[in-house]
Amino acid sequence: MNRFFAMLTACALCLAGMQFSTAAASGVENENGFNYCIEDGTVTVIGYTGEDPAVVVPETIAGYPVTRIGNIAFQENLTITSVVLPETIEAIGFSAFSRCKNLETINFPDRLRTIDAYAFTTCHSLKSIDLNQVESLGMNAFQLCIALEEITVPGTIKNIPDHAFHGCHSVTSLTFEEGVETIAENAALNLYSLIEVTIPESVTTIGEHAVGYTYYSPDYTRVSTIVCGSSGSAAERYALDNGFDFLSVPLGLGDLNGDSTADANDAAMVLVAAAAKGAGAPSGLLTVQETAADADKSGDYDASDAAYILEYAAKAALGGMGSFEAYMAAR
């Protein structure tokens, strides 16, 4: 698709379905490399003709606030490597940044509420995302963002649509925060590297093959994923029904294996993980376990944390001890 055709298509998509008078809206304009249209006193960016790889979208254009990145506005732009969006942005349109294969960083402002379908699909270089206060996520929004390693979905997004994170090959940790209610089938399909997924109690519906599966026609195959969630929750049912290991969370301080006590077994897990980390190897712990391993709450875990757990376990064996967290607080 050449840029002229893309610009015309973007303009059509920008205006499609909008109710406005001729006086209320302008035609396509360009300012500092940004094609835009004005409707109801706000600006939608519908294209970019600039050549700067570091794009800074202005807060205002022609005296009007920029509130939306329009449909296919930056689609297939292989030049841009970073985008800074202004705090005025409220929505990112359909396929707005799709196939921007060299885009590494973009911010999501506090006012951003909507990311439409395919908005960032095939952004192969995108390193991280902070979904912040986003409320609506379109299907395939982050499909094939293969450089992402961790994804956290805020509770402001109630419904996770089909294929939202499909093919994010490098993701090892996927966390849905409290407030999320439904996870559609195939929502996080083909996350080959996924080690852990955390699903809160607020989630009541999890679709078939929603997470923890790869698909090569005609077969689905489970990934070696641990599902973390509350006992008796939809997360536990999904784990049991699909043959995934389940870890009941939250974990208490010092309790890495989820058996509700801090003991020699937990201390051994801390020591092994600390040694592996010191050697530059993966710790072997889940994110929730790493938090539990930090017995002294120093911000990291090491052999001293294992020593605290062993010390507590020895005293607890004699009886009369409270929780490990209370024990550490009293030190």
Side-chain angles (χ1 to χ4, degrees):
M1 180 185 297
N2 62 48
R3 289 192 178 277
F4 177 73
F5 179 72
M7 183 186 76
L8 292 180
T9 305
C11 182
L13 288 168
C14 171
L15 301 179
M18 294 181 180
Q19 301 299 318
F20 58 90
S21 67
T22 302
S26 74
V28 179
E29 303 287 348
N30 184 284
E31 182 173 305
N32 296 324
F34 295 98
N35 294 326
Y36 67 93
C37 59
I38 302 172
E39 194 272 322
D40 289 340
T42 65
V43 169
T44 295
V45 172
I46 60 174
Y48 180 65
T49 60
E51 298 181 356
D52 193 338
V55 176
V56 179
V57 178
E59 189 168 300
T60 61
I61 293 179
Y64 297 98
V66 178
T67 61
R68 180 178 173 85
I69 305 299
N71 300 333
I72 69 171
F74 291 85
Q75 180 178 277
E76 294 184 339
N77 188 314
L78 301 182
T79 299
I80 59 173
T81 58
S82 67
V83 174
V84 177
L85 298 177
E87 287 301 315
T88 50
I89 292 292
E90 299 173 359
I92 296 174
F94 171 84
S95 202
F97 293 94
S98 67
R99 297 192 291 281
C100 290
K101 295 183 180 181
N102 296 312
L103 176 63
E104 296 180 2
T105 62
I106 186 170
N107 66 304
F108 293 147
D110 289 344
R111 293 186 187 179
L112 178 65
R113 293 294 181 267
T114 301
I115 297 177
D116 283 341
Y118 296 91
F120 292 91
T121 190
T122 321
C123 287
H124 287 168
S125 302
L126 190 61
K127 295 179 178 179
S128 64
I129 53 174
D130 180 356
L131 293 172
N132 207 338
Q133 299 297 310
V134 171
E135 295 176 355
S136 177
L137 192 65
M139 62 185 295
N140 300 78
F142 292 96
Q143 180 182 11
L144 291 172
C145 290
I146 59 176
L148 295 177
E149 295 183 356
E150 296 183 0
I151 297 174
T152 297
V153 181
T156 50
I157 303 176
K158 303 302 181 186
N159 304 304
I160 313 303
D162 295 352
H163 303 283
F165 304 107
H166 183 146
C168 294
H169 302 166
S170 300
V171 170
T172 59
S173 176
L174 174 60
T175 301
F176 298 99
E177 294 187 335
E178 188 69 27
V180 176
E181 296 175 357
T182 65
I183 305 173
E185 60 180 284
N186 300 320
L189 187 66
N190 284 356
L191 273 61
Y192 310 134
S193 305
L194 188 64
I195 296 172
E196 61 180 304
V197 56
T198 300
I199 302 175
E201 201 164 0
S202 58
V203 171
T204 57
T205 302
I206 304 175
E208 190 174 13
H209 306 122
V211 63
Y213 280 92
T214 61
Y215 177 72
Y216 294 99
S217 182
D219 299 319
Y220 286 89
T221 304
R222 282 199 311 272
V223 180
S224 296
T225 300
I226 297 176
V227 177
C228 303
S230 301
S231 295
S233 66
E236 183 175 28
R237 292 194 298 275
Y238 181 80
L240 293 175
D241 290 346
N242 291 276
F244 293 108
D245 289 335
F246 179 76
L247 181 64
S248 181
V249 294
L251 297 176
L253 190 68
D255 176 23
L256 280 69
N257 58 12
D259 65 357
S260 300
T261 186
D263 56 24
N265 292 324
D266 301 298
M269 291 178 69
V270 175
L271 283 174
V272 171
K277 186 178 60 172
S283 70
L285 297 182
L286 306 180
T287 303
V288 291
Q289 291 174 317
E290 290 185 325
T291 300
D294 183 16
D296 57 9
K297 298 184 179 180
S298 65
D300 200 0
Y301 58 91
D302 53 26
S304 63
D305 295 297
Y308 289 133
I309 295 172
L310 282 173
E311 180 181 82
Y312 167 81
K315 293 181 179 180
L318 300 176
M321 295 293 291
S323 69
F324 178 65
E325 188 157 6
Y327 173 75
M328 291 300 296
R331 285 184 62 85

